[in-house]
Amino acid sequence: MWEVVYITSNSEIANKIREELEKVGILAKVKSISQEGKEGYFEIIVPETDVNEAHNIIIEKGF
């Protein structure tokens, strides 16, 4: 199962978080949950077994 670890309204931040997670070997996806034109909300999702580690990385990187 996939779990949401972060939600943002900025696609660039969402992709940076995904990249940081993938650098340490965590499979991550960015999922658009609503979009109006160029604006919207994006979820960063990871396998449920990696949720705690993903949260630690996100905090460590200052997001």
Side-chain angles (χ1 to χ4, degrees), residues 11-43:
S11 65
E12 288 181 24
I13 289 175
N15 285 312
K16 285 181 183 179
I17 292 171
R18 179 188 50 78
E19 290 171 2
E20 291 296 330
L21 293 173
E22 289 179 345
K23 282 181 186 176
V24 296
I26 298 174
L27 184 60
K29 296 180 183 180
V30 174
K31 180 180 172 186
S32 176
I33 54 176
S34 70
Q35 194 163 355
E36 297 177 18
K38 291 186 178 182
E39 297 180 14
Y41 289 93
F42 305 88
E43 294 177 335

Side-chain angles (χ1 to χ4, degrees), residues 42-59:
F42 305 88
E43 294 177 335
I44 293 83
I45 58 175
V46 300
E48 65 183 22
T49 56
D50 294 325
V51 168
N52 288 335
E53 186 178 356
H55 279 147
N56 290 337
I57 299 298
I58 290 167
I59 291 167

